[in-house]
Amino acid sequence: MGLDFTAIDFETANGFRGSPCAVGLTKVRGGQIVDEASWLMRPPPNHDHFDYHNVRIHGIRADDVAGHPRFGELFPEIGAFIGDDILAAHNAAFDLGVIRSGLEVSGLPGPAYDYVCTVMLSRRCYSLVSNSLPFAAEEAGVPLVKHHDAAEDARACAGILIDIARRNQANSIGELYLSLGLVMPRQQAFDPATDGLSKSSIAALAAAGGGTAAPLRPFQSGWPEEGANPLPNPDAEPGHPLYGQTVVFTGELSIGRPEAKRRSADVGARPESRVTGRTTVLVVGDGFVASDLRSGRLTGKARRVLELHDRGQPIEVLSEGEFLQMVGDFAAAAIA
């Protein structure tokens, strides 16, 4: 078997994972891109409102998808393009979550997929202060032309995986994971008629029905409340990109630090209150995006991270949007 896979990237209309409005797919055979596809789509009914923050990021508006098939109607074509391939995505927990939640709220079953996360592989194989897609793509020699264009992002993800396999002299995804001592994660097949719904879908359905999904917390000036540092969940999925990481938060977060710490612990991370030699991830609020690392719009903790990274400590910076993607937050509107 050669280096064969399909890279995928979704853009969503709002903070719910199950609101896809665009998808890009890049098919790789023998380490070479051989085919690409992309679609605009309407999100599933009752989850098709377009939030300002999402539109500002990817530029897709409700008028742009009017008249297009809904995600549930289009998924047979998407699934046919993927076939039996391993899926690759940059922050695969998000993109696989889009498939699951989008199908769940459409009342449709979904197939099983083996998948790889190029955020985790970038963290393992590169030494970057940010493993966001633009930084990893630049390191791989496939710089992004237009970030948050689904087709461009899928192509960049494919390029990252091809480069990482080359650096590890791996001729297949299986060889790559074996060389890195990793086990390939798998999203199991599901049927919303018989299987339990994901947490993201439950929260979205509650909100659509007038329930109590957690709203974004309004900005409050002053020193943020740190809260307790809960222990990592021992039953968390080892394949999650935050599993085993030591996470510190800085700046004003939309969900509040105590809640952010709880969610990070739920997925197997160890939250702490200050940057030390143990810190591996710093999550930055205040509207920070990864490009701010180049512009210099940084908090004191972020500057400390850059100093530690320059000294050789394996530590990286995440925007709050990237963090919320990883933990599956329903209220996450701004995705960096």
Side-chain angles (χ1 to χ4, degrees):
M1 180 182 295
L3 186 65
D4 302 342
F5 63 91
T6 293
I8 190 167
D9 180 82
F10 282 103
E11 300 297 330
T12 56
N14 55 68
F16 172 42
R17 286 182 175 182
S19 66
C21 59
V23 64
L25 296 139
T26 298
K27 187 170 290 290
V28 172
R29 290 290 180 266
Q32 300 292 324
I33 293 174
V34 297
D35 199 6
E36 294 181 307
S38 61
W39 288 274
L40 291 175
M41 69 199 75
R42 284 185 295 158
N46 301 318
H47 305 284
D48 51 3
H49 62 282
F50 279 70
D51 285 348
Y52 165 78
H53 293 291
N54 293 67
V55 173
R56 179 174 57 84
I57 288 166
H58 53 56
I60 302 169
R61 303 175 184 276
D63 289 347
D64 297 323
V65 301
H68 287 263
R70 290 197 184 273
F71 171 70
E73 299 168 323
L74 191 58
F75 188 75
E77 291 186 62
I78 297 171
F81 187 95
I82 297 169
D84 296 327
D85 278 5
I86 295 168
L87 278 177
H90 204 73
N91 187 14
F94 172 77
D95 294 281
L96 272 292
V98 171
I99 293 175
R100 171 139 194 168
S101 288
L103 291 175
E104 283 177 339
V105 297
S106 300
L108 297 172
Y113 289 113
D114 292 323
Y115 65 91
V116 300
C117 178
T118 50
V119 168
M120 292 189 66
L121 293 176
S122 172
R123 186 179 288 153
R124 281 289 190 112
C125 300
Y126 300 153
S127 179
L128 303 175
V129 72
S130 168
N131 288 292
S132 66
L133 188 60
F135 279 73
E138 182 177 323
E139 177 68 16
V142 288
L144 268 173
V145 177
K146 185 181 178 184
H147 189 21
H148 294 298
D149 176 284
E152 296 279 357
D153 286 359
R155 188 181 307 126
C157 174
I160 292 166
L161 185 49
I162 291 168
D163 179 66
I164 287 174
R166 179 188 58 80
R167 294 190 188 201
N168 286 274
Q169 300 181 324
N171 295 313
S172 70
I173 302 297
E175 281 188 20
L176 175 62
Y177 266 62
L178 185 64
S179 70
L180 296 174
L182 298 172
V183 175
M184 191 179 307
R186 181 176 177 84
Q187 177 162 283
Q188 299 297 332
F190 61 89
D191 187 338
T194 56
D195 298 327
L197 299 179
S198 61
K199 291 181 180 179
S200 181
S201 293
I202 291 171
L205 290 169
T212 56
L216 289 172
R217 188 169 66 98
F219 178 84
Q220 297 176 349
S221 61
W223 196 261
E225 178 192 355
E226 278 289 339
N229 291 315
L231 294 175
N233 174 13
D235 299 320
E237 171 56 54
H240 193 280
L242 290 176
Y243 182 88
Q245 303 297 315
T246 299
V247 181
V248 174
F249 299 89
T250 184
E252 192 72 25
L253 304 177
S254 63
I255 61 173
R257 288 194 196 175
E259 177 68 6
K261 288 183 175 185
R262 182 188 68 78
R263 295 188 187 201
S264 65
D266 283 347
V267 298
R270 180 179 297 278
E272 293 190 343
S273 298
R274 61 188 184 92
V275 174
T276 69
R278 295 185 300 272
T279 307
T280 57
V281 174
L282 179 72
V283 178
V284 185
D286 294 327
F288 166 87
V289 293
S291 60
D292 290 339
L293 290 168
R294 293 191 173 104
S295 69
R297 193 178 73 88
L298 302 173
T299 67
K301 283 184 180 177
R303 293 184 188 282
R304 172 68 172 152
V305 163
L306 290 178
E307 292 171 3
L308 292 173
H309 184 270
D310 289 344
R311 295 176 188 173
Q313 182 171 329
I315 187 169
E316 65 176 296
V317 177
L318 290 180
S319 69
E320 186 185 8
E322 291 172 304
F323 170 75
L324 292 175
Q325 271 194 340
M326 291 179 181
V327 298
D329 187 86
F330 170 67
I335 305 301

